[in-house]
Amino acid sequence: MTTVRLWSDAEAEADPAVKAVFDDIRATRKSDVVNNFWRGLANDPVQLKRTWENLKAIMVAPGALDPLTCELVYMAVSAANNCSYCIHSHTAAARAKGMTDAQYAHFLQIVGMAAHTNALVTTMQIPVDEAFQVES
Amino acid sequence: MTTVRLWSDAEAEADPAVKAVFDDIRATRKSDVVNNFWRGLANDPVQLKRTWENLKAIMVAPGALDPLTCELVYMAVSAANNCSYCIHSHTAAARAKGMTDAQYAHFLQIVGMAAHTNALVTTMQIPVDEAFQVES
Amino acid sequence: MTTVRLWSDAEAEADPAVKAVFDDIRATRKSDVVNNFWRGLANDPVQLKRTWENLKAIMVAPGALDPLTCELVYMAVSAANNCSYCIHSHTAAARAKGMTDAQYAHFLQIVGMAAHTNALVTTMQIPVDEAFQVES
Amino acid sequence: MTTVRLWSDAEAEADPAVKAVFDDIRATRKSDVVNNFWRGLANDPVQLKRTWENLKAIMVAPGALDPLTCELVYMAVSAANNCSYCIHSHTAAARAKGMTDAQYAHFLQIVGMAAHTNALVTTMQIPVDEAFQVES
Amino acid sequence: MTTVRLWSDAEAEADPAVKAVFDDIRATRKSDVVNNFWRGLANDPVQLKRTWENLKAIMVAPGALDPLTCELVYMAVSAANNCSYCIHSHTAAARAKGMTDAQYAHFLQIVGMAAHTNALVTTMQIPVDEAFQVES
Amino acid sequence: MTTVRLWSDAEAEADPAVKAVFDDIRATRKSDVVNNFWRGLANDPVQLKRTWENLKAIMVAPGALDPLTCELVYMAVSAANNCSYCIHSHTAAARAKGMTDAQYAHFLQIVGMAAHTNALVTTMQIPVDEAFQVES
């Protein structure tokens, strides 16, 4: 259950601002599926458009990181933030972009290891080494 | 300030179990620096050795993901877990492994976007689409 | 499924300490519903009473912040802490206290934006400006 | 210490894209101060502009929630996410927008109470009541 | 639904590396049950073995903390990290190791109180007292 | 730097409500030190008194869990919540209550292991086994 209404296709068709975004999602992804996240955001067409355009610019348009790496970073943040929906949707996206079982196994190892050392460092309150204190 | 003592090089030299790990860190990284994390872990030589061996197997040995991608995933988890030390050490490691300014800028965009959509999804309690419910 | 037993009305009636709190919840809220949180806490009548009295003092009694603002702050913390139950119960409470769809949409925008900039600031490890270092 | 360079005013003056955003920040806020967050984001002018425009639309332009309530929600998320910089900057902003000591005290009470009940609910794994499962 | 396949007993029997770990789990715990966590990890036999051996060394072998205290610490971390699965599995383990209802009630009080004061301290950004800055 | 004023002893002496709590803290702990947390809370004497009384009831009065175990649970929550102040104050308290170096090393092992498996379980979205779904 959600705290907002998930818009049906019929409702989206009847609202030009929402329809424009849903159409662009379908065209960009070459798929008929508009997933639930966008159907929830549709209650606020301004936020819907802004969020989709940012996502498209960051995750779909060519960038300095390749598409699979982008998904792995997204998955890592979503896992650490415990967002079940986002873990599922971005793991599915990573597989669609070619993530192999071996790559996913390696990813899981890193996520576990990072959480482990994060916890040890925080519990011991280790100070940052001077050697790391060099900005770009 | 830490909650544990950070071992000096002299102390490490005097304890064979700790010395063995510190020596391997230096040899593996081809660097004289042993950073503070390991100096804190040295209070428990078993945990020191286990943690270093896991890290070496996951982050140093060749794996399905390339070394820079491994660091980006580690950075993403550390950022979401708010581990200042780990953010600094793994951002430095990523730069050492060739991360460009453009790649780091893209990384930052993804981390921000992921945190943003994680929060929206969680606040609206969006249910996982059936389309995503396909395991490997 | 819970890790504790949820007390039924019959069980609560039979325990004077629990009954007193359940009665006060019903009288204070002018509603027959005692929600699951209190039924779980009933296993520890001292904690039940303490928690309810604190909640009543902070969220029900007149205070410096108006009732709807109180719920928005509660919702924001619950969303950031990923507490599904609390998100649902306090979003429902906010609506009962008059939250409009436009207010909820604005709330969602802020929660998303705050999570976004929190993540950017943390990842870049931005130091606090002196201008902000002024206490009350 | 940051993981990125914080742009000086001189550097910002020399880059038209950054200068345009810094100028707008100063004009919008009627203040000469451009705080460190924007100086770090300046390394990526596209992200700088996008983030500032979103923040201006959500936190500065008139909206369904009044300016002080917006800051309280922002503070609550930042506190739960443990973002020290954001806690300081938005607490300062809330005071600038008129937050009284009594309002801040009430805010603190709610943040503490919410974290407390979030933890109890999560530890007991309390299921959402049907009564709360009503969307807008 | 998971993002990985959960291995059946038949599949585990057919893979010597997985079978060896499953057999050791059953022998160590004197129980036929191999819970889902290990069935998911089985997709990566190296990670499966490493994780089980670490868990056995830390949570099963005699150590400086008694078995019930170990479970309470594990539960506390899992609750703060919002890991529903881990909360359930380690609360069940704690009961199996003798945790009484009174001990669990006390545990819940501490977890709630700690989350409460953590939030207050973070929101007020209280500096560490010099008196606490004494390492071992 | 804090977002609130930390009350000096002189100020506390001049406010009967604050003085009463500070006096009780000193008497209960048989120590002259009143740490910064209480000096920050003093801005809201009602919250100060309520928080201290809850802490005293849960962490000082005899309960089902012994004093050292109480501190270990508090430390575990504080570490997972990344509360630097609370990590320091409760690690110091645990040492004062007799925590040995060997116990602290075991504690650190558990905290790291729990964070590790929490992350793996969340990333794989492992469902709770029926065997664990038994409440008290």
Side-chain angles (χ1 to χ4, degrees):
Chain A
M1 200 213 51
T2 61
T3 67
V4 293
R5 188 163 47 86
L6 298 180
W7 285 41
S8 68
D9 285 337
E11 289 168 308
E13 281 296 312
D15 183 307
V18 172
K19 176 176 159 44
V21 176
F22 278 30
D23 284 353
D24 192 40
I25 292 173
R26 289 186 167 110
T28 302
R29 294 180 166 172
K30 301 185 199 338
S31 157
D32 238 31
V33 177
V34 174
N35 53 299
N36 286 337
F37 176 51
W38 307 108
R39 295 179 186 281
L41 277 184
N43 293 284
D44 179 352
V46 171
Q47 164 111 305
L48 171 69
K49 183 175 157 64
R50 189 158 53 203
T51 306
W52 166 246
E53 289 192 347
N54 286 353
L55 194 80
K56 197 166 58 162
I58 293 170
M59 297 296 285
V60 180
L65 298 172
D66 66 89
L68 177 53
T69 301
C70 292
E71 291 297 342
L72 293 169
V73 170
Y74 218 115
M75 286 159 66
V77 173
S78 302
N81 282 338
N82 216 332
C83 179
S84 180
Y85 183 90
C86 315
I87 291 168
H88 278 300
S89 60
H90 288 278
T91 304
R95 289 199 199 279
K97 289 178 180 174
M99 181 176 70
T100 64
D101 285 352
Q103 287 175 320
Y104 187 51
H106 198 182
F107 171 81
L108 277 168
Q109 289 177 12
I110 301 167
V111 168
M113 185 81 209
H116 195 141
T117 60
N118 288 178
L120 291 176
V121 161
T122 296
T123 309
M124 295 189 291
Q125 294 281 299
I126 304 290
V128 180
D129 298 76
E130 280 186 32
F132 298 145
Q133 306 215 2
V134 187
E135 54 175 71
S136 73
Chain B
M1 199 212 52
T2 61
T3 66
V4 294
R5 188 162 48 85
L6 298 181
W7 285 42
S8 69
D9 284 337
E11 290 169 307
E13 281 296 313
D15 184 307
V18 172
K19 176 175 160 42
V21 176
F22 277 30
D23 284 353
D24 193 39
I25 292 173
R26 289 188 166 108
T28 302
R29 294 181 166 172
K30 302 183 199 340
S31 157
D32 237 31
V33 177
V34 173
N35 51 300
N36 287 336
F37 175 53
W38 308 108
R39 295 179 186 281
L41 277 183
N43 294 284
D44 179 353
V46 172
Q47 164 110 307
L48 171 69
K49 182 174 157 66
R50 188 157 55 200
T51 306
W52 166 246
E53 289 192 347
N54 287 352
L55 194 80
K56 195 165 60 161
I58 293 170
M59 297 296 286
V60 180
L65 297 173
D66 65 89
L68 178 52
T69 301
C70 292
E71 292 297 344
L72 292 170
V73 170
Y74 217 115
M75 287 160 64
V77 173
S78 301
N81 281 339
N82 216 332
C83 179
S84 180
Y85 183 90
C86 315
I87 291 168
H88 278 300
S89 61
H90 288 279
T91 304
R95 289 198 200 279
K97 289 178 181 174
M99 180 177 70
T100 65
D101 285 353
Q103 287 174 320
Y104 187 50
H106 199 182
F107 171 81
L108 277 168
Q109 289 177 12
I110 300 167
V111 168
M113 186 81 209
H116 195 140
T117 58
N118 288 178
L120 292 176
V121 161
T122 297
T123 311
M124 295 188 291
Q125 295 281 299
I126 303 290
V128 180
D129 298 77
E130 280 186 32
F132 298 145
Q133 307 215 0
V134 187
E135 54 175 68
S136 73
Chain C
M1 200 211 51
T2 61
T3 66
V4 293
R5 188 162 46 86
L6 298 181
W7 285 42
S8 69
D9 284 338
E11 291 169 307
E13 281 297 313
D15 183 307
V18 172
K19 175 177 160 41
V21 176
F22 277 30
D23 284 353
D24 193 38
I25 291 172
R26 290 189 166 105
T28 302
R29 294 181 167 172
K30 302 184 200 337
S31 158
D32 238 31
V33 177
V34 174
N35 52 300
N36 287 338
F37 176 53
W38 309 108
R39 296 179 185 279
L41 277 183
N43 294 284
D44 179 352
V46 172
Q47 163 111 307
L48 170 69
K49 182 175 158 63
R50 187 158 56 201
T51 306
W52 167 246
E53 290 192 347
N54 287 353
L55 195 81
K56 196 166 60 161
I58 293 170
M59 297 297 286
V60 179
L65 297 173
D66 66 88
L68 177 52
T69 300
C70 292
E71 291 297 343
L72 292 170
V73 170
Y74 218 116
M75 286 159 66
V77 173
S78 302
N81 282 338
N82 216 332
C83 180
S84 180
Y85 183 89
C86 315
I87 290 168
H88 278 300
S89 59
H90 288 278
T91 304
R95 289 196 198 281
K97 289 178 182 175
M99 181 176 70
T100 64
D101 286 352
Q103 287 174 320
Y104 187 50
H106 199 182
F107 170 81
L108 277 169
Q109 290 176 13
I110 300 167
V111 168
M113 185 81 209
H116 195 141
T117 59
N118 288 179
L120 291 177
V121 161
T122 297
T123 310
M124 294 189 291
Q125 294 282 300
I126 303 290
V128 180
D129 298 76
E130 281 186 32
F132 298 145
Q133 307 215 0
V134 188
E135 55 175 67
S136 73
Chain D
M1 199 213 51
T2 60
T3 66
V4 293
R5 188 163 46 85
L6 298 181
W7 285 43
S8 69
D9 284 338
E11 289 169 310
E13 281 297 312
D15 183 308
V18 172
K19 176 175 159 46
V21 176
F22 278 30
D23 284 353
D24 193 40
I25 291 173
R26 289 188 167 108
T28 302
R29 294 181 167 173
K30 301 185 201 336
S31 158
D32 237 32
V33 177
V34 174
N35 52 301
N36 286 337
F37 176 52
W38 308 109
R39 295 178 187 280
L41 276 184
N43 294 284
D44 179 353
V46 172
Q47 164 111 305
L48 171 69
K49 183 174 157 63
R50 188 159 54 202
T51 306
W52 167 246
E53 289 192 348
N54 287 353
L55 194 81
K56 196 166 58 162
I58 293 170
M59 296 297 286
V60 180
L65 298 173
D66 67 87
L68 178 52
T69 301
C70 292
E71 292 297 343
L72 293 169
V73 171
Y74 218 114
M75 287 160 64
V77 173
S78 302
N81 282 338
N82 217 334
C83 179
S84 180
Y85 183 91
C86 315
I87 291 168
H88 278 299
S89 60
H90 288 279
T91 304
R95 289 200 199 279
K97 289 179 180 173
M99 180 177 71
T100 65
D101 285 352
Q103 286 174 320
Y104 187 50
H106 198 181
F107 171 82
L108 277 168
Q109 289 177 12
I110 300 167
V111 168
M113 186 80 210
H116 195 141
T117 58
N118 288 178
L120 292 176
V121 161
T122 297
T123 310
M124 294 188 292
Q125 294 281 300
I126 304 290
V128 180
D129 297 77
E130 279 186 33
F132 298 145
Q133 307 215 1
V134 186
E135 55 176 70
S136 73
Chain E
M1 201 212 51
T2 60
T3 66
V4 293
R5 189 162 46 86
L6 299 180
W7 284 43
S8 68
D9 284 339
E11 289 169 309
E13 281 297 312
D15 182 308
V18 173
K19 176 175 160 44
V21 177
F22 278 30
D23 284 353
D24 193 40
I25 291 174
R26 288 188 167 108
T28 302
R29 295 181 167 171
K30 300 183 200 337
S31 157
D32 237 31
V33 176
V34 174
N35 53 300
N36 287 337
F37 176 52
W38 307 108
R39 295 178 187 280
L41 276 183
N43 294 283
D44 179 354
V46 173
Q47 164 110 306
L48 171 69
K49 182 174 158 65
R50 188 159 54 202
T51 305
W52 167 245
E53 290 192 347
N54 287 352
L55 195 82
K56 196 166 59 162
I58 294 170
M59 297 295 287
V60 181
L65 298 173
D66 67 88
L68 178 53
T69 301
C70 292
E71 292 296 343
L72 292 170
V73 171
Y74 218 116
M75 286 160 66
V77 173
S78 301
N81 281 337
N82 216 333
C83 180
S84 180
Y85 183 90
C86 315
I87 291 168
H88 278 299
S89 60
H90 288 279
T91 304
R95 290 199 198 279
K97 289 178 181 174
M99 180 177 71
T100 65
D101 284 352
Q103 287 174 320
Y104 187 50
H106 198 183
F107 171 81
L108 277 169
Q109 290 177 12
I110 301 167
V111 168
M113 186 78 209
H116 195 141
T117 60
N118 288 180
L120 291 176
V121 161
T122 296
T123 310
M124 294 190 291
Q125 294 282 299
I126 304 289
V128 179
D129 298 77
E130 279 186 33
F132 298 145
Q133 307 215 0
V134 186
E135 55 174 72
S136 74
Chain F
M1 200 211 52
T2 61
T3 66
V4 294
R5 189 162 46 87
L6 298 180
W7 285 43
S8 68
D9 284 338
E11 289 169 308
E13 281 297 313
D15 183 307
V18 173
K19 177 177 158 44
V21 176
F22 278 29
D23 284 352
D24 193 39
I25 292 173
R26 288 187 167 107
T28 303
R29 293 181 168 170
K30 301 183 200 336
S31 158
D32 237 31
V33 177
V34 174
N35 52 299
N36 287 337
F37 175 52
W38 308 108
R39 296 179 186 280
L41 276 183
N43 294 284
D44 179 354
V46 173
Q47 164 109 307
L48 171 69
K49 183 174 157 65
R50 187 158 55 200
T51 306
W52 167 246
E53 290 192 347
N54 287 353
L55 195 82
K56 196 167 58 161
I58 293 170
M59 296 297 287
V60 180
L65 298 173
D66 66 88
L68 178 52
T69 300
C70 292
E71 291 297 344
L72 292 170
V73 171
Y74 218 116
M75 287 160 66
V77 173
S78 301
N81 282 338
N82 216 331
C83 180
S84 179
Y85 183 90
C86 315
I87 291 167
H88 279 298
S89 61
H90 288 279
T91 304
R95 290 198 198 280
K97 290 179 181 174
M99 181 177 71
T100 65
D101 285 352
Q103 286 174 320
Y104 187 50
H106 198 182
F107 170 81
L108 277 168
Q109 289 176 13
I110 301 167
V111 168
M113 186 81 209
H116 195 141
T117 59
N118 288 179
L120 291 177
V121 161
T122 298
T123 310
M124 294 189 292
Q125 295 280 299
I126 304 290
V128 180
D129 298 77
E130 279 186 34
F132 298 145
Q133 307 216 0
V134 187
E135 54 175 71
S136 73

Coordinates of all heavy atoms in Angstrom, one line a residue, chain A residues 73-110:
Chain A
V73 N 26.4 1.8 -9.0 CA 26.5 2.8 -8.0 C 25.1 3.1 -7.4 O 24.9 3.2 -6.2 CB 27.1 4.1 -8.6 CG1 26.9 5.3 -7.6 CG2 28.6 3.9 -9.0
Y74 N 24.1 3.1 -8.3 CA 22.7 3.3 -7.9 C 22.3 2.2 -6.9 O 21.7 2.4 -5.9 CB 21.8 3.4 -9.1 CG 20.7 4.4 -9.0 CD1 20.6 5.5 -9.9 CD2 19.6 4.3 -8.1 CE1 19.6 6.4 -9.8 CE2 18.6 5.2 -8.0 CZ 18.6 6.3 -8.9 OH 17.6 7.2 -8.9
M75 N 22.6 1.0 -7.3 CA 22.3 -0.2 -6.5 C 22.9 -0.1 -5.1 O 22.3 -0.4 -4.1 CB 22.7 -1.5 -7.1 CG 21.9 -1.9 -8.3 SD 22.8 -3.1 -9.4 CE 23.0 -4.5 -8.3
A76 N 24.2 0.3 -5.1 CA 24.9 0.4 -3.8 C 24.3 1.4 -2.9 O 24.1 1.1 -1.7 CB 26.4 0.7 -4.1
V77 N 24.0 2.6 -3.4 CA 23.3 3.6 -2.6 C 22.0 3.1 -2.1 O 21.6 3.2 -0.9 CB 23.1 4.9 -3.4 CG1 22.3 5.9 -2.5 CG2 24.5 5.5 -3.7
S78 N 21.2 2.5 -3.0 CA 19.9 2.0 -2.6 C 19.9 0.9 -1.6 O 19.1 0.8 -0.7 CB 19.1 1.5 -3.9 OG 19.1 2.5 -4.9
A79 N 20.9 0.0 -1.7 CA 21.1 -1.0 -0.7 C 21.4 -0.4 0.7 O 20.9 -0.8 1.7 CB 22.2 -2.0 -1.1
A80 N 22.4 0.5 0.7 CA 22.8 1.1 1.9 C 21.6 1.9 2.6 O 21.5 2.0 3.8 CB 24.0 2.0 1.7
N81 N 20.8 2.5 1.7 CA 19.6 3.2 2.2 C 18.4 2.3 2.5 O 17.4 2.8 2.9 CB 19.2 4.3 1.2 CG 20.1 5.5 1.3 OD1 20.7 5.7 2.3 ND2 20.1 6.3 0.2
N82 N 18.6 1.0 2.2 CA 17.5 0.0 2.5 C 16.2 0.3 1.7 O 15.1 0.1 2.2 CB 17.3 0.1 4.0 CG 16.9 -1.3 4.5 OD1 16.4 -2.2 3.8 ND2 17.2 -1.5 5.8
C83 N 16.3 0.7 0.5 CA 15.1 1.0 -0.3 C 14.8 -0.2 -1.2 O 15.4 -0.4 -2.3 CB 15.4 2.2 -1.2 SG 14.0 2.6 -2.3
S84 N 13.9 -1.0 -0.7 CA 13.6 -2.3 -1.3 C 13.2 -2.1 -2.8 O 13.7 -2.8 -3.7 CB 12.5 -3.0 -0.6 OG 12.1 -4.2 -1.1
Y85 N 12.3 -1.2 -3.0 CA 11.8 -0.9 -4.4 C 13.0 -0.6 -5.3 O 13.1 -1.1 -6.4 CB 10.9 0.3 -4.4 CG 10.3 0.6 -5.8 CD1 9.1 0.0 -6.2 CD2 10.9 1.5 -6.7 CE1 8.6 0.2 -7.4 CE2 10.4 1.7 -7.9 CZ 9.2 1.1 -8.3 OH 8.7 1.3 -9.5
C86 N 13.9 0.3 -4.9 CA 15.0 0.8 -5.7 C 16.0 -0.3 -5.9 O 16.6 -0.4 -7.0 CB 15.7 2.0 -5.0 SG 14.5 3.2 -4.4
I87 N 16.2 -1.2 -4.9 CA 17.1 -2.3 -5.1 C 16.6 -3.2 -6.2 O 17.3 -3.6 -7.1 CB 17.2 -3.1 -3.7 CG1 18.0 -2.3 -2.7 CG2 17.9 -4.5 -4.0 CD1 17.9 -2.9 -1.3
H88 N 15.3 -3.5 -6.1 CA 14.7 -4.4 -7.2 C 14.8 -3.7 -8.6 O 15.2 -4.4 -9.5 CB 13.3 -4.7 -6.8 CG 13.1 -5.8 -5.9 ND1 13.6 -7.1 -6.1 CD2 12.6 -5.9 -4.6 CE1 13.4 -7.9 -5.1 NE2 12.8 -7.2 -4.1
S89 N 14.4 -2.5 -8.6 CA 14.3 -1.9 -10.0 C 15.7 -1.7 -10.6 O 15.9 -1.9 -11.8 CB 13.5 -0.6 -9.9 OG 14.1 0.4 -9.1
H90 N 16.7 -1.3 -9.8 CA 18.0 -1.1 -10.4 C 18.8 -2.4 -10.5 O 19.7 -2.4 -11.4 CB 18.8 0.0 -9.6 CG 18.2 1.4 -9.8 ND1 18.5 2.1 -10.9 CD2 17.2 2.1 -9.1 CE1 17.8 3.2 -10.9 NE2 17.0 3.2 -9.8
T91 N 18.5 -3.4 -9.8 CA 19.2 -4.7 -10.0 C 18.6 -5.2 -11.4 O 19.4 -5.8 -12.2 CB 18.9 -5.7 -8.9 OG1 19.4 -5.1 -7.7 CG2 19.6 -7.0 -9.1
A92 N 17.3 -5.1 -11.6 CA 16.7 -5.5 -12.8 C 17.3 -4.7 -14.0 O 17.7 -5.3 -15.1 CB 15.2 -5.3 -12.8
A93 N 17.5 -3.4 -13.8 CA 18.1 -2.6 -14.9 C 19.5 -3.0 -15.1 O 20.0 -3.0 -16.3 CB 18.0 -1.1 -14.4
A94 N 20.3 -3.3 -14.1 CA 21.7 -3.7 -14.3 C 21.7 -5.0 -15.1 O 22.5 -5.2 -16.0 CB 22.4 -3.9 -12.9
R95 N 20.8 -5.9 -14.8 CA 20.8 -7.2 -15.6 C 20.5 -6.9 -17.0 O 21.1 -7.4 -18.0 CB 19.8 -8.2 -15.0 CG 20.2 -8.8 -13.6 CD 19.4 -10.1 -13.3 NE 19.5 -10.4 -11.9 CZ 20.5 -11.0 -11.3 NH1 21.5 -11.4 -12.0 NH2 20.4 -11.3 -10.0
A96 N 19.5 -6.0 -17.2 CA 19.1 -5.6 -18.6 C 20.3 -5.0 -19.3 O 20.4 -5.1 -20.6 CB 17.9 -4.7 -18.6
K97 N 21.2 -4.3 -18.6 CA 22.3 -3.7 -19.2 C 23.6 -4.6 -19.3 O 24.7 -4.2 -19.5 CB 22.7 -2.4 -18.5 CG 21.7 -1.3 -18.7 CD 22.0 0.0 -17.9 CE 20.9 1.0 -18.2 NZ 21.1 2.2 -17.3
G98 N 23.3 -5.9 -19.0 CA 24.4 -6.9 -19.2 C 25.1 -7.4 -18.0 O 26.1 -8.1 -18.1
M99 N 24.7 -7.0 -16.8 CA 25.4 -7.5 -15.6 C 25.4 -9.0 -15.5 O 24.3 -9.6 -15.6 CB 24.7 -6.9 -14.3 CG 25.5 -7.4 -13.0 SD 24.7 -6.6 -11.5 CE 23.1 -7.5 -11.5
T100 N 26.6 -9.6 -15.4 CA 26.6 -11.1 -15.4 C 26.5 -11.5 -13.9 O 26.6 -10.7 -13.0 CB 28.0 -11.6 -15.9 OG1 29.0 -11.1 -15.0 CG2 28.3 -11.1 -17.3
D101 N 26.2 -12.8 -13.7 CA 26.1 -13.4 -12.4 C 27.5 -13.2 -11.6 O 27.5 -12.9 -10.4 CB 25.8 -14.9 -12.4 CG 24.3 -15.1 -12.8 OD1 23.6 -14.1 -12.8 OD2 24.0 -16.3 -13.0
A102 N 28.6 -13.3 -12.3 CA 29.9 -13.1 -11.7 C 30.1 -11.7 -11.2 O 30.6 -11.4 -10.2 CB 31.0 -13.5 -12.6
Q103 N 29.6 -10.8 -12.1 CA 29.7 -9.3 -11.7 C 28.8 -9.0 -10.5 O 29.2 -8.3 -9.6 CB 29.3 -8.4 -12.9 CG 30.4 -8.4 -13.9 CD 30.0 -7.6 -15.2 OE1 28.8 -7.7 -15.6 NE2 30.9 -6.9 -15.7
Y104 N 27.6 -9.6 -10.5 CA 26.7 -9.4 -9.3 C 27.3 -10.0 -8.1 O 27.2 -9.4 -7.0 CB 25.3 -9.9 -9.6 CG 24.3 -9.6 -8.6 CD1 24.2 -8.2 -8.2 CD2 23.5 -10.5 -8.0 CE1 23.3 -7.9 -7.2 CE2 22.6 -10.2 -7.0 CZ 22.5 -8.9 -6.6 OH 21.6 -8.5 -5.6
A105 N 27.9 -11.2 -8.2 CA 28.5 -11.8 -7.0 C 29.7 -10.9 -6.5 O 29.8 -10.7 -5.2 CB 29.1 -13.2 -7.4
H106 N 30.5 -10.3 -7.4 CA 31.5 -9.4 -6.9 C 31.0 -8.2 -6.3 O 31.4 -7.7 -5.2 CB 32.4 -9.1 -8.1 CG 33.8 -8.6 -7.8 ND1 34.7 -8.1 -8.7 CD2 34.4 -8.4 -6.5 CE1 35.8 -7.7 -8.0 NE2 35.6 -7.8 -6.8
F107 N 29.9 -7.7 -6.9 CA 29.2 -6.5 -6.3 C 28.8 -6.8 -4.9 O 29.0 -6.0 -4.0 CB 28.0 -6.1 -7.2 CG 27.1 -5.1 -6.6 CD1 27.4 -3.7 -6.7 CD2 26.0 -5.4 -6.0 CE1 26.6 -2.8 -6.2 CE2 25.1 -4.5 -5.4 CZ 25.4 -3.1 -5.5
L108 N 28.2 -7.9 -4.7 CA 27.7 -8.3 -3.3 C 28.8 -8.4 -2.3 O 28.7 -7.9 -1.2 CB 26.9 -9.6 -3.4 CG 25.5 -9.6 -3.8 CD1 25.0 -11.0 -4.1 CD2 24.6 -8.9 -2.7
Q109 N 30.0 -8.9 -2.8 CA 31.1 -9.0 -1.9 C 31.6 -7.6 -1.5 O 31.9 -7.4 -0.3 CB 32.3 -9.7 -2.6 CG 32.0 -11.2 -2.8 CD 33.2 -11.9 -3.6 OE1 34.2 -11.3 -3.8 NE2 32.9 -13.1 -4.1
I110 N 31.6 -6.7 -2.4 CA 32.1 -5.3 -2.1 C 31.1 -4.6 -1.2 O 31.5 -4.0 -0.2 CB 32.3 -4.5 -3.4 CG1 33.3 -5.2 -4.3 CG2 32.7 -3.1 -3.1 CD1 33.3 -4.6 -5.7

